[in-house]
Amino acid sequence: MTLRVAFLGPHGTFCEQALRSLTPDVLGDALGDPEPSLHPWSSTTAALDAVRAGDADAACVPVENSVEGGVPATMDGLVEQPPLVIVREILLRVRFSVLVRPGTSVGDVRSVASHPHGEAQTRRWIAEHLPDAEVRLTSSTAAAAAQVAAGEVDAAVCAPVAAAHHGLVELASGVHDTGDAVTRFVLVRPPGAPGLPAPTGADRTSLAATTVNVPGALLAVLTEIAVRGVDLTRIESRPLRDRRGEYWFFLDGTGHVADAAMGEALAALRRRCTDVRFLGSYPRARLDDVADDDAPRGTGPGPGQTVKDYAEAAAWLEALRDGSGA
């Protein structure tokens, strides 16, 4: 049966572009189907809800941007129930175009629409080149292009591919404030079959945790990770909706749940935290055939942090427990 993959739509979004950038063998390895059917949804939340409701088998959603940081709707959605796990991440260089209806000149633009992250990455460009234009925010960059085609706004800051979908033309291309931004997308599905991606030696584990609001609580959580030599590549917080003053801490670290160090760290957090959500272990993405910038740094594992160290320590403990060692 062909798997159904939801994505942040409509057609022509960077999310669809990211999903289509996966080669059939990579997609097949992640989902068990190299040619799934792709279905646009109106929002990130709707795409995740579709998976939970059984209306889709997986979803591709944006989780982080190199300029704006985490995507709140995705972060909030990942900690809802029932659980979803990340099985793949995708890095995409985001190159914006300004699309208009044929015959529109710069002087004709009185309104410009884009997704909040698109607007944030082109804010200075818009202020300089379209100073009299009213900026309107939309649920996706493709939705902004659709509004231009419908005559609701004059211009859209969006993916170039949206021009063909909506009969628009480029007023400007390569639009940005700080160079090409990179957006990280994740492919998520319910836990279970076909199981977690196997360790590759270059993996990332994502989790979310909450802890009691007392001095040093977060430091204790981070210490459990640091003493095991796990390299944190991201930490970000989001408020708990039903408990004022308490937060979800979203953590990404190098390594796989099958690794001894990461496994010990997760078990320690399970003991220390009020709640821990395992969000997946999956291969770290590469960009333009170069490992991503948050690959492990430094000279390698410290004393007591190698795979051999963990194996020997586990064997020593087992010997103590069964009486064969001292």
Side-chain angles (χ1 to χ4, degrees), residues 2 11-12 20 31 48 54 57 90 107 118 139-140 142 146 190 214 224 285-286 320:
T2 300
H11 285 291
R20 292 186 181 278
L31 295 179
L48 295 175
D57 300 294
I90 310 161
S139 60
S140 70
V214 298
E224 295 288 3
R286 300 171 68 89
L320 291 180

Side-chain angles (χ1 to χ4, degrees), residues 81-158:
Q81 295 286 6
L84 298 174
V85 293
I86 301 169
V87 295
R88 196 80 194 186
E89 68 174 3
I90 310 161
L91 298 179
L92 182 71
R93 293 193 187 279
V94 177
R95 297 180 170 95
F96 293 100
S97 289
V98 178
L99 302 185
V100 297
R101 294 180 294 277
T104 302
S105 66
V106 171
D108 298 326
V109 177
R110 291 291 178 267
S111 57
V112 57
S114 188
H115 182 272
H117 277 205
E119 184 275 336
Q121 294 169 53
T122 58
R123 190 173 295 148
R124 292 185 180 277
W125 188 97
I126 293 172
E128 180 180 349
H129 295 88
L130 302 171
D132 298 324
E134 174 194 358
V135 177
R136 302 179 188 177
L137 301 181
T138 57
S139 60
S140 70
T141 56
Q147 289 183 6
V148 176
E152 298 171 5
V153 293
D154 299 319
V157 175
C158 56

Side-chain angles (χ1 to χ4, degrees), residues 130-297:
L130 302 171
D132 298 324
E134 174 194 358
V135 177
R136 302 179 188 177
L137 301 181
T138 57
S139 60
S140 70
T141 56
Q147 289 183 6
V148 176
E152 298 171 5
V153 293
D154 299 319
V157 175
C158 56
V161 69
H165 284 287
H166 299 285
L168 304 177
V169 296
E170 281 190 335
L171 186 67
S173 61
V175 174
H176 54 73
D177 289 344
T178 58
D180 289 336
V182 175
T183 295
R184 182 160 71 111
F185 297 85
V186 290
L187 192 60
V188 303
R189 65 176 306 160
L196 289 175
T200 66
D203 303 295
R204 192 189 315 279
T205 292
S206 294
L207 61 100
T210 63
T211 185
V212 292
N213 188 9
V214 298
L218 179 58
L219 175 61
V221 169
L222 299 180
T223 299
E224 295 288 3
I225 296 171
V227 297
R228 291 170 174 82
V230 173
D231 184 21
L232 275 185
T233 59
R234 172 174 171 254
I235 177 171
E236 196 160 348
S237 64
R238 289 286 298 161
L240 271 71
R241 296 178 180 178
D242 57 348
R243 296 205 293 273
R244 183 175 179 272
E246 296 186 40
Y247 297 84
W248 280 109
F249 294 99
F250 290 83
L251 308 171
D252 287 348
T254 56
H256 194 281
V257 66
D259 299 338
M262 181 61 77
E264 278 195 13
L266 287 171
L269 296 189
R270 180 66 179 83
R271 295 193 305 270
R272 281 191 175 272
C273 297
T274 54
D275 197 359
V276 177
R277 303 285 177 83
F278 173 71
L279 301 180
S281 290
Y282 47 92
R284 285 202 317 273
R286 300 171 68 89
L287 188 64
D288 296 341
D289 297 323
V290 177
D292 55 317
D293 292 338
D294 58 13
R297 295 169 287 277

